[in-house]
Amino acid sequence: MQTIDVADLDYKAINETLREAGSDFIIEGCCGQKFIAAGMSDKNVTINGIPGNALGAYLNNANITVNANAQDAVGDTMNEGKILIHGNIGDAAGYAMRGGKIYVQGNAGYRAGIHMKAYEEKIPVMIIGGCAGSFLGEYQAGGVIIVLGLHKDNKRIVGNFPCTGMHGGKIFLRGNCENIHFPKQVTARCASEGELDEIREYLSEYCSDFCYSVDELLSEPFTVITPDSKNPYKQMYVAN
Amino acid sequence: MSIEFIYPEFEVIRNENKCISCRICEQQCANEAHSYDEKHKIMMCDDSKCVNCQRCVSFCPKRALKIVKSDCTLRENANWSNETIKEIYKQANSGGVLLSSMGNPKPFPVYWDKILINASQVTNPSIDPLREPMETRVYLGKKPSKVQRTKDGALDCKLPPQLELSMPVMFSAMSYGSISYNAHKSLALAATELGILYNTGEGGLHEDFYCYGENTVVQVASGRFGVHADYLKAGAAIEIKIGQGAKPGIGGHLPGAKIVGDISRTRMIPEGSDAISPAPHHDIYSIEDLRQLVFSLKEATEYKKPVIVKVAAVHNIAAIASGIARSGADIIAIDGFRGGTGAAPTRIRDHVGIPIELALAAVDQRLRNEGIRNHVSLVVGGSIRSAADVVKAIALGADACYVATAALLALGCHLCRTCQSGKCNWGIATQRPELVKRLNPAMGSERLINLMTAWKHEIKEFMGGMGINSIEALRGNRLMLRGIGLTEKELEILHISHAGE
């Protein structure tokens, strides 16, 4: 395990250090440096302090743990690996991610999980412990987004316009979601036992990461949202 | 018939005296326009299915076929053209947005055709390119603004990453999905042989084509299809696609029906699922955000590859390009409003954007005025049709040109503009195995190499005529251009003089 004090390093220098040697790192004194571990494989990185935008962009099988908040675009176009955030995250987390996991203890900003995909054995999973901002799962094409609404202090579990343009994947929101307005092209219903079984493994992992009880999480009903069609725009065109 | 009937646009004319009923036309037509009447032993045709792709005409062994534009027209009306009226019918029949393929066919001015090139006479001798060395090689990428020296006084030769092209032309983005495997392979083979680059478009890179990586531009667009670390590292350069000349401001949409087999694997999305590229990148709302994407890509590829930002030519293109030049991008690609497409809403294609000639002139001038022209290279496309267009573009300030429609024509495209049907009889814009195999990549690449070799000769002839022996000396050399039949304003924007001046 190598400890790097990055207080005086810019993002380029940090990534050069990460690339050069070893696979296990602790980054101390992180303060807004962007792109940490972009495109990297086979690394275990723990970050103390707050990483900047695009943490773990194009991540290709590395593990990142942040012991604080993270900023925008966490796990942009992530392919494989795991990002664990002991805090809140900014906007557009997991944009177009195709695989791997982003587990957040706190809240997420706007557009979490936008255009998330899935492909064969690759099923990306994003779990947000608190609440998510507006446009959750916009254009979602695959994968699983789970929002738990823990410590939400009477806030709605998601902001406005969740699932706009969704055409694949699933979103699970803890609670009955009666106060949430969903667009026409998706169906929101109470998750069945079978559907909850699909996510039990992820929730167990999440609970062991953040010291929660799975049984307690599952004591409340979950709402599952799925798109009605994977070809929502089929009828829009006429050949000319 | 009914109110929904629209008279076919084309008629298939068969010379019965020449036709031997060999049925080749029937086999060649994926649109099923031709059929054989067993009972009467004659060939039949359904004009309504003909798209005028000329496949049957080209393959008829007896030259018994021709396709003509139908003379069955509505009453002439200068305001309501036949085309306009038929579009109304189509929309009234279906409620659909009109969808077209290939570039804007409307009679807007083509400025290339209103610009003339200079030649040396008497005072500055011309050069014979057949006997004297003539350099068409270009390097694309950020150039240092001054000579740097290391501590010991030696020249610091460390440059930002550059793309080397043997001639100032690249094949522009066409995704695997919009065009076939064999079309992609033809482009990859030709680019490698020619020492230029082709471009994956937003469809990912097929595993078979990673070996052509040194001659490949890999694209990252708003849908991020097929984008992962190995893909980014495979290419010689990475292109961020913000916009496309045929549909500025519009996203892409490959219908689920076309997401099958290899296409699904290469895009890394499930079979049958629509591939939607949203209109904007949802993480880009400013030049600062663009800078973030540029540098995240540079970080992921260790600063070894130039990053291209491709935008459509739109009204404020000069200011936009100035922003891009400051975003850290190495190359700006600008796509004019006549650029091609596999499918775009007709109205957008025909009415949005501006001509590349004006956009290029405006951008080059703006970057020069701001002293940042060397921070980026400029690549222009949409549409470059010949070596003359290339030479004019270079003289207007481009570093290189993007060519796609001309490349497809070399592969056999007859510009029938029905790519969206997926039934391309020439094996280009289709995924049907029986059609794809009609395009032989070895032959396709040879035709592309022929075309580009011919253009290279022509470019050298132009250069020699002007007394210029290096393409670098032609770039932005607008004194070599004169306008013909252009207004004061047009000349001012193009920054060229009128012929005779």
Side-chain angles (χ1 to χ4, degrees), chain A residues 91-114:
Chain A
D91 297 340
Y95 180 174
M97 72 186 283
R98 176 189 309 114
K101 291 164 181 167
I102 299 178
Y103 290 177
V104 182
Q105 190 164 24
N107 302 321
Y110 284 171
R111 300 205 146 101
I114 181 171

Side-chain angles (χ1 to χ4, degrees), chain B residues 415-471:
Chain B
L415 220 44
C416 72
R417 315 202 305 250
T418 40
C419 317
Q420 78 273 11
S421 74
K423 291 192 272 192
C424 176
N425 278 318
W426 296 92
I428 300 167
T430 180
Q431 302 306 326
R432 293 189 180 190
E434 74 277 13
L435 298 178
V436 173
K437 74 177 184 200
R438 291 179 180 182
L439 176 60
N440 174 342
M443 213 185 284
S445 63
E446 194 188 319
R447 293 178 57 82
L448 287 166
I449 293 165
N450 283 344
L451 178 71
M452 285 303 133
T453 307
W455 282 23
K456 195 171 173 179
H457 281 306
E458 290 174 338
I459 291 169
K460 287 180 178 178
E461 292 278 3
F462 276 120
M463 285 164 54
M466 287 181 274
I468 288 173
N469 61 8
S470 162
I471 196 96

Side-chain angles (χ1 to χ4, degrees), chain A residues 72-202:
Chain A
D72 293 345
V74 171
D76 183 349
T77 323
M78 181 171 169
N79 193 47
E80 222 179 322
K82 184 172 172 183
I83 302 179
L84 205 61
I85 312 281
H86 291 269
N88 302 319
I89 54 172
D91 297 340
Y95 180 174
M97 72 186 283
R98 176 189 309 114
K101 291 164 181 167
I102 299 178
Y103 290 177
V104 182
Q105 190 164 24
N107 302 321
Y110 284 171
R111 300 205 146 101
I114 181 171
H115 217 319
M116 215 158 131
K117 301 176 170 60
Y119 176 64
E120 289 183 351
E121 77 286 0
K122 281 191 190 299
I123 299 172
V125 182
M126 178 184 286
I127 305 182
I128 294 153
C131 304
S134 297
F135 303 103
L136 174 75
E138 192 179 15
Y139 288 105
Q140 191 182 348
V144 179
I145 301 174
I146 303 169
V147 186
L148 299 174
L150 301 166
H151 344 286
K152 67 182 156 91
D153 306 328
N154 293 327
K155 266 174 65 186
R156 280 194 301 167
I157 192 164
V158 292
N160 297 323
F161 315 112
C163 314
T164 306
M166 181 181 186
H167 56 289
K170 280 181 182 167
I171 293 184
F172 291 83
L173 304 176
R174 190 158 160 269
N176 59 23
C177 296
E178 273 167 1
N179 55 352
I180 312 286
H181 177 74
F182 294 102
K184 273 191 293 190
Q185 90 285 356
V186 302
T187 303
R189 58 181 186 281
C190 190
S192 66
E193 271 303 311
E195 281 166 327
L196 289 176
D197 282 344
E198 288 172 29
I199 61 168
R200 197 178 298 270
E201 179 199 333
Y202 308 132

Side-chain angles (χ1 to χ4, degrees), chain A residues 15 98 111 115 117 231 236, chain B residues 97 223 227 274 276 285 299:
Chain A
N15 278 339
R98 176 189 309 114
R111 300 205 146 101
H115 217 319
K117 301 176 170 60
N231 315 104
M236 262 179 66
Chain B
V97 167
V227 176
D274 281 5
I276 299 170
Y285 286 72
E299 278 293 332

Side-chain angles (χ1 to χ4, degrees), chain A residues 11-13 15-16 19 34-35 38-41 53-54 57-58 60 72-73 76-77 79 92 95-96 98 111 114-115 117-120 122 138-139 141 165 167-168 230-240, chain B residues 87 90-91 94-100 222-230 232-233 253 256 264-265 268-274 276 278 280-283 285 292-293 295-297 299-300 302-303 345-346 420:
Chain A
Y11 58 77
K12 205 172 162 185
N15 278 339
E16 273 167 15
R19 267 193 295 268
K34 298 176 186 174
F35 318 123
M40 289 189 195
S41 309
N53 292 354
Y58 322 101
N60 206 22
D72 293 345
D76 183 349
T77 323
N79 193 47
Y95 180 174
R98 176 189 309 114
R111 300 205 146 101
I114 181 171
H115 217 319
K117 301 176 170 60
Y119 176 64
E120 289 183 351
K122 281 191 190 299
E138 192 179 15
Y139 288 105
H167 56 289
K230 54 184 182 176
N231 315 104
Y233 304 108
K234 213 171 171 178
Q235 299 301 325
M236 262 179 66
Y237 299 106
V238 56
N240 186 34
Chain B
E87 286 171 347
K90 284 178 190 170
Q91 294 194 295
S94 67
V97 167
L98 297 166
L99 193 69
S100 292
S222 63
R224 309 276 162 87
F225 296 112
V227 176
H228 54 96
D230 294 343
L232 296 174
K233 285 171 186 160
H253 178 201
S264 145
R265 196 155 72 238
M268 303 175 103
I269 50 169
E271 291 204 354
S273 184
D274 281 5
I276 299 170
H281 286 250
H282 282 288
D283 52 355
Y285 286 72
Q292 183 170 308
L293 183 59
F295 278 90
S296 80
L297 291 166
E299 278 293 332
E302 301 171 43
Y303 297 84
T346 311
Q420 78 273 11

